[in-house]
C-alpha cells in the first residue's frame, strides 16, 4: 500500500527493496533535483547503460516532484517476496496468488472517449498501475521506471507492450490533467491514461487485489491518500502474469518484458 502523508511524516529517501521488518519509504529527490537511480540487481544485464528515455523520465520526475507530502511503501510482505521470492522459471516478477483475467475497466481515456482495456490492449502485454498525478514520488517514479525500461527494449518488443495508468483521484485528475502528466514520461511508447467515477475505479482495483482509498484532506492541509503501488503485468493472452511491487528495479522489467512478449507470440 502506498500512502500519501503530511509534510511532517518521515521519509527514508530512495525507493529501494529492503528486507522487512524495516520497510523503506519513498521520499522526494535530493536537493539537486535529481531523482534517485537504482543499482542494477546482481545478475542483470552487465554494463548496460540506460538510454535517452531514462534521462527524459528523470528530468520529468525532477520537474514534477513539487508536492508537500510523500508516498510511503507499506508492503513489507511484497518487499520480502521481491528480495527472495522470484519465480522458479527465472522471471523477476511475483506470480499472482490466484488466476485473473484482464478486466475491460470501461473507464474514460485522456481523449474523453470510453476506453475498453481488453479491446485496446488485445494481443499486447499490458502494464496496469493505479495511482494519482499529485503523488509526489512513488507514482511518477514508477512511470519513469517503466519508460526507462521500455526505452531499453528492442522496438519490435516494445511495440507489443502498453502502459495503462488509472487515476485513483478522479476528482482532480481530469483527462486533460492525466494527459499532460503522462506526457512527461511517455516519449511515444504508448502510455494510456484512464479516469472514471471513484467508486468504479476502486471496485476494479480491489477486484484485482489492489486496495484503493479515496483521497481526503488531512489535518495538516495536504491530501492524504492510500493506493496499491503494484504494477500488474497482463500477458498477451489476457491473463495476469506477474505482479511488480514498489521498489522493483528497472532491470527487472528489462529482463521480464521480452519474455512475456515472446510467450504470446504467434
Amino acid at each position: 500500500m502506498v500512502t500519501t502523508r503530511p509534510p511532517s511524516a518521515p521519509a527514508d529517501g530512495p525507493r529501494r527493496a529492503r528486507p522487512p521488518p524495516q520497510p523503506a519509504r519513498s521520499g522526494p529527490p535530493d536537493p539537486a533535483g535529481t531523482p534517485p537511480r537504482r543499482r542494477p540487481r546482481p545478475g542483470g544485464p552487465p554494463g548496460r547503460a540506460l538510454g535517452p528515455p531514462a534521462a527524459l523520465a528523470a528530468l520529468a520526475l525532477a520537474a514534477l516532484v513539487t508536492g508537500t507530502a510523500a508516498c510511503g511503501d507499506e508492503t513489507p510482505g511484497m518487499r520480502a517476496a521481491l528480495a527472495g521470492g522470484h519465480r522458479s522459471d527465472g522471471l523477476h516478477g511475483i506470480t499472482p496468488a490466484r488466476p485473473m483475467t484482464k478486466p475491460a475497466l470501461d473507464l474514460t481515456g485522456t481523449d474523453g472517449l470510453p476506453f475498453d482495456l481488453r479491446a485496446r490492449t488485445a494481443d499486447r502485454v499490458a502494464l496496469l498501475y493505479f495511482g494519482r498525478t499529485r503523488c509526489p514520488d512513488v507514482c511518477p517514479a514508477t512511470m519513469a521506471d517503466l519508460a526507462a525500461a521500455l526505452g531499453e527494449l528492442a522496438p519490435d518488443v516494445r511495440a507489443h507492450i502498453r502502459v495503462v495508468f488509472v487515476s485513483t483521484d478522479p476528482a482532480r485528475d481530469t483527462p486533460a490533467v492525466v494527459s499532460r502528466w503522462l506526457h512527461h514520461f511517455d516519449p511515444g511508447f504508448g502510455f494510456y491514461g484512464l479516469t472514471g467515477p471513484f467508486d468504479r475505479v476502486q471496485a476494479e482495483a480491489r477486484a484485482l487485489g489492489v486496495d484503493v482509498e479515496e483521497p481526503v484532506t488531512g489535518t495538516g492541509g495536504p491530501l492524504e491518500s492510500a493506493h496499491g503501488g503494484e504494477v500488474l503485468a497482463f500477458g498477451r493472452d489476457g491473463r495476469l502474469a506477474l505482479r511488480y511491487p514498489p521498489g522493483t528495479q528497472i532491470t527487472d522489467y528489462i529482463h521480464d518484458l521480452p519474455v512475456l512478449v515472446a510467450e504470446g507470440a504467434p
Side-chain angles (χ1 to χ4, degrees):
M1 176 68 69
V2 171
T3 305
T4 297
R5 301 181 182 279
S8 58
D12 292 342
R15 293 166 43 255
R16 292 181 181 168
R18 303 186 181 102
Q22 296 296 329
R25 300 189 184 280
S26 61
D30 62 32
T34 303
R37 174 65 61 199
R38 293 171 188 74
R39 300 191 190 99
R41 180 187 303 280
R48 190 164 199 173
L50 296 176
L56 174 64
L59 290 174
L61 178 57
L64 283 170
V65 180
T66 57
T68 56
C71 293
D73 177 17
E74 299 287 355
T75 54
M78 296 300 286
R79 286 187 177 280
L82 180 66
H86 289 176
R87 291 160 48 111
S88 60
D89 56 12
L91 294 178
H92 293 184
I94 298 169
T95 304
R98 58 189 176 90
M100 295 184 187
T101 57
K102 185 192 302 178
L105 291 183
D106 293 327
L107 296 171
T108 302
T110 54
D111 56 4
L113 300 176
F115 188 100
D116 183 323
L117 180 64
R118 290 177 187 156
R120 295 292 291 273
T121 62
D123 193 35
R124 288 183 170 86
V125 172
L127 304 177
L128 181 63
Y129 182 81
F130 292 86
R132 63 192 191 96
T133 67
R134 294 180 182 232
C135 170
D137 47 18
V138 174
C139 300
T142 300
M143 293 297 104
D145 287 352
L146 292 176
L150 291 176
E152 294 299 302
L153 302 180
D156 60 335
V157 173
R158 188 167 60 235
H160 293 286
I161 302 170
R162 293 292 181 269
V163 175
V164 182
F165 173 87
V166 180
S167 173
T168 60
D169 186 17
R172 298 165 187 83
D173 287 346
T174 64
V177 168
V178 174
S179 178
R180 289 194 298 269
W181 188 77
L182 286 178
H183 180 71
H184 289 281
F185 307 102
D186 179 17
F189 295 158
F191 281 36
Y192 293 132
L194 307 182
T195 65
F198 177 79
D199 289 348
R200 180 166 185 80
V201 170
Q202 184 182 57
E204 293 286 356
R206 288 182 172 177
L208 294 169
V210 179
D211 193 22
V212 168
E213 300 296 337
E214 190 167 12
V216 297
T217 302
T219 56
L223 287 178
E224 295 179 353
S225 175
H227 60 85
E230 292 180 274
V231 173
L232 308 182
F234 290 88
R236 295 173 67 178
D237 61 358
R239 298 179 182 277
L240 181 61
L242 297 168
R243 307 179 79 106
Y244 294 96
T248 295
Q249 298 184 21
I250 295 171
T251 49
D252 292 327
Y253 295 119
I254 293 172
H255 177 276
D256 286 0
L257 291 176
V259 178
L260 294 183
V261 169
E263 285 180 347

